[in-house]
Amino acid sequence: MYLLSAFLFSVRRALIPSCRAGLWALWMAGVAVMAGCANTSPPPGVEAVSPFDLQRYQGRWYELARLDHSFERGMTDVSATYTPQADGSVRVVNRGFAAASGQWREAVGKALFTGAPTAGSLKVSFFGPFYGGYHVAALDPDYRWALVLGPDASYCWILARDKQLDAAQRDAIVARAQALGVDTHALIWVTHKRQDPAHPLLFSEDDCTS
């Protein structure tokens, strides 16, 4: 019921006429469905990276691969930027190109550590009280790539500081993901061919009125 309530709440806001970015709102409604999962702990058998240094992790990451979900379906050139805030939270900015609409999109959210900030286990919200698990399951010692899982192994992202990795490194990360229960044959490899604009179409919950 909690999952259903989260979904209905998100869809209601996505369909309000005052929303300025309907397609992106529907994408983010999918994020809220994931966030409706009450469990923000790492998936069984997965331990978040520790020690974890947010100061080194902050900045921009490119999404190289992901498992398919409706809220990112068809998106290319996806990136995420993490910025530590004075209150201990992390500002999250997701950007990507929606091929269906031919437009760049941006969503702004907030992440909080679920425990000590020395462990890479956080929860991320784009819709008020709805949080989804964000767990750094593997991390390059130089913080050049990261393997991130959600509340279970059906949510997986491979991130990197650069838009591509060499084949050997990529295969090694995929092998680690597979060992953690990820269906790596289903990974979607994200293309990065477009120039990211300075001002993409913005969507946040402030774009809708209740």
Side-chain angles (χ1 to χ4, degrees):
M1 291 298 295
Y2 183 81
L3 179 61
L4 179 59
S5 297
F7 176 74
L8 293 177
F9 172 84
S10 303
V11 170
R12 179 181 68 84
R13 297 193 62 123
L15 295 179
I16 292 173
S18 61
C19 289
R20 296 194 299 272
L23 291 176
W24 184 257
L26 292 175
W27 179 26
M28 295 315 302
V31 176
V33 172
M34 182 185 77
C37 300
N39 180 20
T40 55
S41 300
V46 175
E47 291 187 10
V49 167
S50 182
F52 176 81
D53 186 346
L54 179 59
Q55 295 303 314
R56 298 183 67 190
Y57 195 81
Q58 70 175 317
R60 189 175 192 180
W61 294 81
Y62 294 100
E63 180 186 276
L64 300 191
R66 65 173 182 260
L67 290 179
D68 184 42
H69 287 286
S70 59
F71 54 87
E72 275 191 283
R73 190 162 296 152
M75 299 293 293
T76 66
D77 304 88
V78 180
S79 67
T81 302
Y82 307 102
T83 307
Q85 303 297 295
D87 63 358
S89 66
V90 182
R91 186 173 188 264
V92 182
V93 178
N94 288 344
R95 300 161 73 103
F97 183 80
S101 64
Q103 292 180 307
W104 285 88
R105 308 286 185 172
E106 178 178 290
V108 179
K110 178 175 70 173
L112 301 170
F113 283 97
T114 59
T118 54
S121 187
L122 302 95
K123 57 182 182 179
V124 182
S125 173
F126 289 89
F127 281 93
F130 301 109
Y131 281 87
Y134 179 105
H135 310 288
V136 183
L139 183 62
D140 175 58
D142 294 324
Y143 286 64
R144 301 305 305 170
W145 58 261
L147 172 64
V148 177
L149 299 183
D152 59 56
S154 70
Y155 296 91
C156 175
W157 295 267
I158 296 175
L159 309 178
R161 296 295 193 180
D162 300 311
K163 294 182 179 181
Q164 60 183 5
L165 292 170
D166 66 73
Q169 183 65 79
R170 182 191 62 198
D171 292 346
I173 299 170
V174 169
R176 296 186 73 165
Q178 186 174 42
L180 295 175
V182 174
D183 179 7
T184 55
H185 295 292
L187 284 172
I188 296 171
W189 293 93
V190 182
T191 59
H192 289 272
K193 297 180 179 179
R194 294 177 173 85
Q195 181 67 38
D196 192 346
H199 301 289
L201 184 60
L202 173 66
F203 176 80
S204 70
E205 61 179 321
D206 292 335
D207 289 324
C208 298
T209 58
S210 58

